[in-house]
Amino acid sequence: METKRSVNFSWLTIIILLAYWAVCASFYPALPEQVPTHWNIRGEVDGYSHKSVAALIMPLLPLGIYLFMTFLPKIDPKKQNYRKFAPSYEKMRLATVGVIMVVSALPILSALGYHLNVEFIIKGAVSLLIIVMGNYMGKIKYNYLVGFRLPWTLANEDVWNQTHRFGGKLMVIGGCVSLLSVFLSGTLGFVIFMLGIFLPMVLTMVYSYLAFAKFRKEQ
């Protein structure tokens, strides 16, 4: 059962994220002028950026995402409802930041000569994030900024609750399917990965519409 508390930021988390940025920035002198920052579906480098992007800008993303997700509830007209699922939101926030940290570290590690299976790491990290998000999605209470924000869920709180319970289960299943794609490379692996992520979203939208239509019909 969720405890009612506000969504706040942790100074310990802030310090860790600042330390992460400082560590990444310390590699700036050792990096070549151009570092890999984009990989294709086969895990091959197909895009480069200046080392300042990899060592100074990208490592700020985890902190930026953390602060964004911290202050987002404060501008939501339904901000009082966040108290009802604050522990779940905190876990989702930390999981998101963790994945961003992993992804933002890849350009530096690659430029330093580490031979990484970037396709495996990215698909695995994103798949695990989807599983975590799906596990807590059913606990998200009615609000305007987080969750399945569809016309039908925003129009009716019961439809909101039904949609999030259903969609959360599909996200967990989809995340598991996407996780299997880490063992497949090339186009097939990419297709399975994308299906695992986006098919649950499409099915959830359909389910939500049907749930709302049923609600309207019963009125």
Side-chain angles (χ1 to χ4, degrees):
M1 184 175 181
E2 298 281 331
T3 57
K4 291 188 176 183
R5 61 180 177 83
S6 300
V7 176
N8 296 311
F9 67 85
S10 162
W11 280 112
L12 177 60
T13 303
I14 296 294
I15 292 172
I16 291 173
L17 293 175
L18 288 173
Y20 169 76
W21 178 85
V23 170
C24 291
S26 70
F27 288 107
Y28 181 87
L31 297 177
E33 287 300 309
Q34 296 294 314
V35 299
T37 52
H38 193 272
W39 291 261
N40 60 28
I41 63 174
R42 292 180 294 277
E44 301 167 343
V45 178
D46 64 356
Y48 291 83
S49 299
H50 189 265
K51 63 179 182 179
S52 61
V53 174
L56 303 177
I57 298 176
M58 291 184 66
L60 280 177
L61 289 177
L63 178 60
I65 293 296
Y66 183 80
L67 293 176
F68 174 76
M69 293 185 71
T70 298
F71 291 105
L72 193 64
K74 301 183 186 303
I75 62 172
D76 193 324
K78 292 288 184 179
K79 57 186 177 183
Q80 70 276 5
N81 281 351
Y82 285 79
R83 293 177 176 270
K84 301 175 183 177
F85 63 96
S88 292
Y89 185 77
E90 171 65 12
K91 294 179 179 68
M92 295 168 72
R93 179 173 56 171
L94 291 177
T96 302
V97 169
V99 168
I100 299 299
M101 288 176 72
V102 170
V103 173
S104 63
L106 293 178
I108 294 177
L109 294 174
S110 180
L112 290 175
Y114 290 93
H115 298 289
L116 306 172
N117 188 334
V118 174
E119 180 186 12
F120 182 94
I121 294 172
I122 292 180
K123 290 197 297 187
V126 172
S127 298
L128 290 175
L129 177 60
I130 295 298
I131 292 172
V132 171
M133 300 288 274
N135 185 59
Y136 293 106
M137 193 62 69
K139 298 180 180 180
I140 294 181
K141 302 306 179 183
Y142 186 75
N143 70 88
Y144 290 125
L145 300 176
V146 177
F148 294 108
R149 293 167 292 112
L150 303 168
W152 317 291
T153 57
L154 295 177
N156 182 272
E157 191 167 355
D158 289 333
V159 175
W160 172 283
N161 293 329
Q162 293 177 41
T163 298
H164 282 73
R165 286 194 294 268
F166 179 80
K169 294 176 182 177
L170 284 189
M171 285 179 68
V172 172
I173 295 172
C176 291
V177 171
S178 293
L179 195 59
L180 294 176
S181 74
V182 302
F183 302 105
L184 301 170
S185 59
T187 303
L188 178 60
F190 180 75
V191 170
I192 293 177
F193 175 70
M194 298 302 287
L195 282 175
I197 292 178
F198 289 105
L199 186 57
M201 307 302 174
V202 174
L203 293 177
T204 299
M205 290 177 64
V206 174
Y207 173 87
S208 183
Y209 173 77
L210 294 176
F212 182 71
K214 180 181 179 182
F215 169 79
R216 292 290 297 271
K217 186 177 181 180
E218 292 175 349
Q219 280 188 320

